[in-house]
Amino acid sequence: MWSGLLGLPAARCRTAAAALGPQRRWRSHPKGGRYGPTYHHFPTEVKMQWPPKDRSALFLLPESKRLMCVSHGWYYPDGVTGRANKKISTVLSFASRHKHNHMDSLTAEEVKAFEALIPQIRAEFAECKKRAAEEAALDAQ
């Protein structure tokens, strides 16, 4: 069959079919293609240019080794996009530790709300540590 279509002798039809194999195979891949999405991008409410051109010094978070910096970003308070609704703000941005992909950004108001919750978070962690020590004592018996 291939020899008649390609105009080649029958002896060379195997090599010609092997050469055309990758050309024909792409049709069997799904709609996204052979090289599909990598799912490294997550849509966020606070937008910014990444990597930022104008940013503060980079800070390394101690436990997770994530990168943190302060830069400029924007968001849409009403959820309606457009130049008229765009509010430019200073944002605190986090990046992954190995590939430096943008993870998330927090506005100044969100950082203030998070800082207000710090005592409550620490109290809950202390309670969990105490409960873990009690459970370890019960497990030892």
Side-chain angles (χ1 to χ4, degrees):
M1 177 181 158
W2 286 103
S3 61
L5 292 174
L6 297 174
L8 298 173
R12 295 190 59 200
C13 72
R14 286 190 206 126
T15 58
L20 288 178
Q23 293 178 359
R24 294 178 57 239
R25 196 176 311 133
W26 69 271
R27 290 181 184 91
S28 65
H29 289 290
K31 183 78 172 172
R34 182 173 182 178
Y35 306 104
T38 55
Y39 302 105
H40 289 304
H41 174 73
F42 301 101
T44 58
E45 293 182 9
V46 179
K47 310 292 185 191
M48 66 172 298
Q49 178 185 7
W50 192 262
K53 303 288 187 236
D54 183 23
R55 63 165 171 80
S56 68
L58 288 176
F59 299 97
L60 193 66
L61 294 174
E63 293 295 323
S64 64
K65 305 292 189 229
R66 302 288 194 263
L67 296 175
M68 181 174 64
C69 69
V70 176
S71 62
H72 298 289
W74 65 91
Y75 64 97
Y76 302 102
D78 302 328
V80 179
T81 59
R83 184 175 251 175
N85 297 326
K86 184 188 225 182
K87 179 161 183 186
I88 297 175
S89 174
T90 303
V91 296
L92 175 66
S93 302
F94 297 94
S96 64
R97 63 183 185 173
H98 292 299
K99 293 182 136 187
H100 302 181
N101 291 334
H102 178 246
M103 293 171 56
D104 202 4
S105 297
L106 302 174
T107 62
E109 294 83 21
E110 292 172 334
V111 171
K112 287 178 187 173
F114 180 72
E115 286 178 348
L117 293 174
I118 288 177
Q120 181 182 352
I121 293 170
R122 286 189 176 156
E124 289 186 22
F125 271 114
E127 181 183 330
C128 286
K129 284 183 181 179
K130 187 174 78 173
R131 193 176 325 135
E134 292 172 0
E135 289 177 4
L138 287 174
D139 288 341
Q141 293 177 354

